[in-house]
Amino acid sequence: MAEENSACAKGFVDSSIHVDVKDYYGKVLKKTSDLKSNACVAPAQPIPAFIRQALKKVHPEVTARYYGCGLVVPECLEGCRILDLGSGSGRDVYMLSELVGEKGHVTGIDMTEDQLDVARTYVDYHTKEFGFKKPNVSFVQGYIEALTEAGLEKSSFDIIISNCVVNLSPDKKRVLAEAYSVLKDGGELYFSDVYSSGRLTEEIKNHKVLWGECIGGALWWKDLLQLAEEVGFSPPHLVTASVITVDNKELQDILGDFKFVSATYRLFKVPKGATKPCQVIYNGSITGVEDSFQFDTQFTFKVDEVVEVDGEVATILTHSRFREDFTFQPQGGPRESCGVKPKAGTVDPFQLVLQLGKQQPGSATGGCCSTQSACCK
């Protein structure tokens, strides 16, 4: 792996990249329109009504200081403990806080104090707005490469989300390892980020504007597969992807023939090889996807439809928060002849965008890192 130098293993300290990123997002940028590239432009998809309603309740200043243009919202959130890596001004934290409900909790971690000041200012406002008796959010200053050092307990979160933030880290393997550490068994890392068509040159990686704009730190998508395996995650499942274009000629000349996509992957902390292939039936109990639940590019579960899944997906469904939303039966069961064969899937985001025909940039209301995600907080 051609990863950049990591910070010291104990007593995490700023690298020059961390200093530059904090300056860029704390002092240079004041609003989304200050971004100098169009890396945050991608095709938009409709936002579900219940999420739109939660977003409307977020304080205007929190939204104004949020450097993104979309959402990363996984399914089945009620009562969950969620961690947002690089939470910025807290827009996603507050939106998710209503979706998890009073019995759930959302923690945001960010290294930029200016952003955290905005987020913390409105804790009481949102508690009242959502009708909660007490806050169900907290904000922590720290580094996504050092979650436990920041005081976050191991095996304490059901879900970790990240919204175009991992690319800003110089040590992506450590980010994944820390995420794995603080996830509960059966937990999920559901994150969107920018990926490149190959390993980037040192010139690109050392360009401050390209790094701050979420391009210079982009990981080659194949390296994500390797890093996830090394850390202990299940193989990544690709959810969606869209093309990123860079129209700035000066930046494009530096980037040369490299291509970039934004993609959403889901990674799970589950046992290896513990479950045999089986048939599953989705019961339609997940809010917002009652009729059809798109798990990844290969599996879309329609309510009451029998679907054949391999052992790895069976392990995820039986060991994660989704286990109550499915009925499981062994292959060869009474409804064997009715089982739907899964279509061919892909983990290559560049192949996916070709399949989807999404080769043209769309509305700036879309997300950077997926059709429902945000970029560069």
Side-chain angles (χ1 to χ4, degrees):
M1 290 300 301
E3 277 294 314
E4 299 84 351
N5 292 332
S6 64
C8 58
K10 189 173 182 179
F12 193 90
V13 295
D14 279 346
S15 68
S16 60
I17 289 174
H18 290 100
V19 173
D20 290 340
V21 170
K22 281 198 289 187
D23 184 69
Y24 200 69
Y25 287 93
K27 299 176 182 177
V28 176
L29 298 180
K30 297 302 179 185
K31 53 188 182 297
T32 304
S33 59
D34 291 336
L35 292 166
K36 300 182 186 305
S37 78
N38 70 337
C40 291
V41 178
Q45 281 188 348
I47 299 172
F50 72 102
I51 296 177
R52 288 201 308 271
Q53 292 303 315
L55 283 171
K56 287 179 181 178
K57 297 179 182 179
V58 176
H59 193 280
E61 184 179 0
V62 171
T63 301
R65 290 294 303 272
Y66 175 86
Y67 304 127
C69 34
L71 299 170
V72 172
V73 185
E75 310 83 5
C76 196
L77 302 178
E78 293 90 340
C80 287
R81 291 183 56 84
I82 300 179
L83 174 64
D84 183 3
L85 302 182
S87 55
S89 66
R91 189 199 71 168
D92 285 2
V93 170
Y94 285 122
M95 177 267 298
L96 290 167
S97 75
E98 182 172 48
L99 301 184
V100 301
E102 283 195 271
K103 294 183 179 179
H105 189 275
V106 186
T107 300
I109 184 168
D110 203 280
M111 65 180 179
T112 308
E113 188 64 37
D114 290 346
Q115 287 282 75
L116 289 170
D117 285 344
V118 175
R120 289 170 174 153
T121 298
Y122 296 102
V123 171
D124 291 340
Y125 171 89
H126 290 95
T127 302
K128 181 178 179 181
E129 185 71 18
F130 297 147
F132 297 161
K133 294 179 180 178
K134 60 180 181 179
N136 68 341
V137 301
S138 56
F139 294 95
V140 177
Q141 184 174 22
Y143 298 90
I144 61 175
E145 303 93 343
L147 300 177
T148 51
E149 278 191 35
L152 303 180
E153 295 183 8
K154 294 184 178 181
S155 303
S156 60
F157 293 98
D158 300 294
I159 306 167
I160 297 176
I161 68 164
S162 174
N163 217 339
C164 238
V165 170
V166 175
N167 68 82
L168 297 173
S169 171
D171 191 345
K172 295 165 181 62
K173 182 176 181 179
R174 182 163 174 174
V175 173
L176 294 179
E178 285 288 294
Y180 188 89
S181 176
V182 301
L183 276 173
K184 298 177 182 178
D185 290 341
E188 177 183 14
L189 171 59
Y190 184 95
F191 75 115
S192 295
D193 224 291
V194 178
Y195 295 92
S196 60
S197 56
R199 291 196 180 117
L200 300 178
T201 65
E202 290 301 312
E203 180 187 11
I204 293 173
K205 290 192 289 186
N206 291 329
H207 195 285
K208 290 183 180 181
V209 172
L210 284 174
W211 195 283
E213 297 283 332
C214 302
I215 297 292
L219 192 66
W220 182 32
W221 70 271
K222 288 187 178 181
D223 280 346
L224 171 66
L225 309 186
Q226 181 177 335
L227 289 176
E229 180 181 7
E230 291 174 0
V231 167
F233 278 111
S234 62
H237 287 258
L238 179 62
V239 179
T240 187
S242 53
V243 170
I244 289 174
T245 61
V246 179
D247 296 329
N248 182 297
K249 187 178 186 307
E250 180 183 350
L251 297 180
Q252 185 59 66
D253 288 344
I254 298 171
L255 294 173
D257 294 330
F258 283 106
K259 294 179 174 58
F260 298 89
V261 296
S262 57
T264 301
Y265 286 95
R266 56 195 334 157
L267 285 62
F268 289 86
K269 182 179 180 178
V270 293
K272 302 292 189 296
T275 307
K276 295 180 180 179
C278 68
Q279 294 180 326
V280 302
I281 305 167
Y282 173 50
N283 65 22
S285 57
I286 302 176
T287 301
V289 291
E290 291 85 355
D291 296 328
S292 180
F293 167 31
Q294 183 195 347
F295 179 76
D296 61 5
T297 61
Q298 184 175 16
F299 292 98
T300 296
F301 301 105
K302 296 180 181 179
V303 67
D304 294 333
E305 183 177 75
V306 181
V307 179
E308 296 181 8
V309 298
D310 57 31
E312 187 224 321
V313 173
T315 298
I316 291 172
L317 295 180
T318 55
H319 289 80
S320 70
R321 68 188 186 280
F322 299 120
R323 58 185 171 272
E324 301 298 327
D325 302 301
F326 287 85
T327 299
F328 302 89
Q329 57 188 33
Q331 285 188 324
R335 300 173 72 175
E336 173 77 28
S337 61
C338 302
V340 174
K341 303 287 185 181
K343 64 181 180 181
T346 182
V347 292
D348 178 351
F350 292 90
Q351 180 181 345
L352 179 61
V353 295
L354 289 176
Q355 291 174 356
L356 297 176
K358 293 183 176 178
Q359 292 140 302
Q360 297 298 324
S363 165
T365 58
C368 159
C369 307
S370 77
T371 51
Q372 294 191 75
S373 69
C375 172
C376 312
K377 297 184 181 179

